[in-house]
Amino acid sequence: MTAAIVPPYLLARIASVQEPGWARAAHAARSTLAIAHEWHSPRSRLRLSIDEGGSLIAETAPAPRREISDAQSREILPGVVVRTEQSPVSSDVTVNDAFDRLGATFDFFWDAFARNGLDGVGSNLLATVHYGREYDNAFYNGERMVFGDGDGEIFVGFAHSLSVVAHELSHGVVDTEGGLNYEGQSGALNESISDVFGTLAEQHARGHQTERASWLVGEGIFSEHVEGHALRSLSAPGSAYDDDVLGRDPQPAHMRDFVVTASDNGGVHVNSGIPNHAFYLTAMALGGHAWERAGLIWYRTLTAHTLAPSADFATFAAATLTAAAAEYGENSEEAAAVHSGWVGVGVMNDEPTAD
């Protein structure tokens, strides 16, 4: 399983465009779809901060070990190493963006959940930039993050979006914690959890609370010619884009609109809108920084090792309610917010239960 940020149905739509003005994008999409990918199965640093009273606080924390390689427009991994922790800043903006966003993702998981890297034990964070020619995607292959530069007409590069980087690397977290089968509802949960952590990593880096956050995945990867904000929206699934070439964002926000399809591994990128919106509703009910309570509940659910790889929406919803009750109490505000979130998307009924 190689989970890429741009769903195949979107690339297929671009690939089918016949208008001469989009010929480059159509060719790039066809080339992107044709490439198959193989799935491959701590240091510390001093961090200084100032508390509310003005006192300087010094603490040690794990440090990321990043290594960025350049594929030099070829489809061969890993490419040539161009930046590590010991290297100076590169003259290549894409290299620096990838380096910085890997670091921001690492900081998010440590600060929010005390997780030392994707596997929890500080493994290297590897990435390759400039993959292929006009490659319209980014993916995590179980070993490294891989970024295409986009076709320049629809997509303008993927290493520049923190939510994209954190989304793809979060697939590694999901896989490390036991994984979720990449098909049907379990696959949609796999995508959704990665969307959740991707948006939270961006909110964490910006210091945004729930009301100020954009709740978008892939904001900024579209060119100015596209009528759209991002690939997906947690706050309003189905509204991320509405474009003559791309069509309209097909994500549902409620089980009554669940999409039954054989494509995209049973709609993993489409139906993820439902659990995405459940998380959004939970986080908005709780307010503040979404990673502190709502995000922690989702993380505890993932890392409890109680989910079967084939878990469906109802099973995951019940597990989040159990995690909220264990962390905050069965009658807590947090448990009520989780229940309300799943009721809001039609996965749970109005009678809360905690297993």
Side-chain angles (χ1 to χ4, degrees):
M1 180 273 289
T2 299
I5 191 70
V6 180
Y9 60 78
L10 192 56
L11 288 172
R13 185 178 179 96
I14 298 169
S16 68
V17 173
Q18 300 297 317
E19 287 84 349
W22 296 104
R24 180 179 174 183
H27 179 268
R30 288 192 292 270
S31 299
T32 300
L33 285 167
I35 298 173
H37 306 293
E38 180 182 358
W39 176 265
H40 303 278
S41 258
R43 299 154 59 242
S44 65
R45 56 181 165 166
L46 181 67
R47 299 179 68 179
L48 302 176
S49 60
I50 298 176
D51 65 15
E52 294 181 357
S55 299
L56 180 66
I57 299 175
E59 59 180 346
T60 58
R65 295 185 293 181
R66 293 162 285 184
E67 182 181 283
I68 311 298
S69 298
D70 186 348
Q72 300 176 328
S73 299
R74 297 183 297 173
E75 296 161 12
I76 300 174
L77 297 175
V80 179
V81 176
V82 290
R83 187 172 178 188
T84 67
E85 297 297 334
Q86 291 73 42
S87 305
V89 173
S90 173
S91 60
D92 187 327
V93 173
T94 302
V95 170
N96 295 328
D97 280 350
F99 188 87
D100 292 343
R101 281 147 186 74
L102 289 178
T105 302
F106 180 96
D107 287 344
F108 159 67
F109 276 108
W110 175 255
D111 292 344
F113 312 129
R115 186 182 185 89
N116 185 0
L118 301 187
D119 59 0
V121 294
S123 62
N124 290 353
L125 293 176
L126 308 175
T128 294
V129 298
H130 303 310
Y131 179 81
R133 291 188 179 277
E134 300 181 350
Y135 184 72
D136 275 342
N137 226 325
F139 62 91
Y140 180 74
N141 70 350
E143 180 181 272
R144 66 177 49 245
M145 183 76 212
V146 183
F147 302 98
D149 291 323
D151 53 65
E153 293 182 344
I154 291 177
F155 297 106
V156 294
F158 297 87
H160 313 301
S161 171
L162 175 53
S163 61
V164 167
V165 175
H167 167 99
E168 290 302 330
L169 292 179
S170 293
H171 279 299
V173 175
V174 174
D175 187 62
T176 298
E177 294 301 331
L180 287 162
N181 295 339
Y182 203 64
E183 60 182 357
Q185 290 194 18
S186 61
L189 286 169
N190 197 321
E191 279 296 320
S192 175
I193 293 168
S194 297
D195 275 353
V196 164
F197 290 154
T199 56
L200 292 183
E202 195 160 77
Q203 292 174 27
H204 175 266
R206 295 174 176 176
H208 286 178
Q209 297 193 4
T210 55
E211 294 289 346
R212 189 180 176 192
S214 72
W215 295 102
L216 297 173
V217 179
E219 185 178 18
I221 67 171
F222 286 144
S223 77
E224 61 183 10
H225 305 297
V226 175
E227 294 294 328
H229 308 292
L231 284 172
R232 293 182 286 279
S233 168
L234 276 69
S235 62
S239 70
Y241 57 86
D242 189 356
D243 182 79
D244 290 342
V245 173
L246 301 182
R248 185 172 182 176
D249 175 8
Q251 280 206 313
H254 195 278
M255 284 299 292
R256 62 174 168 262
D257 300 314
F258 184 89
V259 177
V260 178
T261 177
S263 65
D264 189 27
N265 292 86
V268 298
H269 288 92
V270 176
N271 291 314
S272 57
I274 295 169
N276 274 0
H277 196 55
F279 179 83
Y280 167 79
L281 293 174
T282 300
M284 293 301 292
L286 294 173
H289 293 123
W291 63 86
E292 291 180 346
R293 291 191 286 172
L296 182 62
I297 292 167
W298 256 241
Y299 181 76
R300 292 281 191 257
T301 302
L302 176 66
T303 58
H305 299 155
T306 58
L307 289 173
S310 59
D312 60 12
F313 291 174
T315 300
F316 185 80
T320 59
L321 191 57
T322 297
E327 190 77 22
Y328 300 105
E330 291 186 7
N331 298 317
S332 64
E333 175 189 12
E334 292 80 5
V338 169
H339 176 253
S340 178
W342 290 109
V343 169
V345 299
V347 172
M348 279 186 166
N349 58 35
D350 290 332
E351 295 298 325
T353 60
D355 296 332

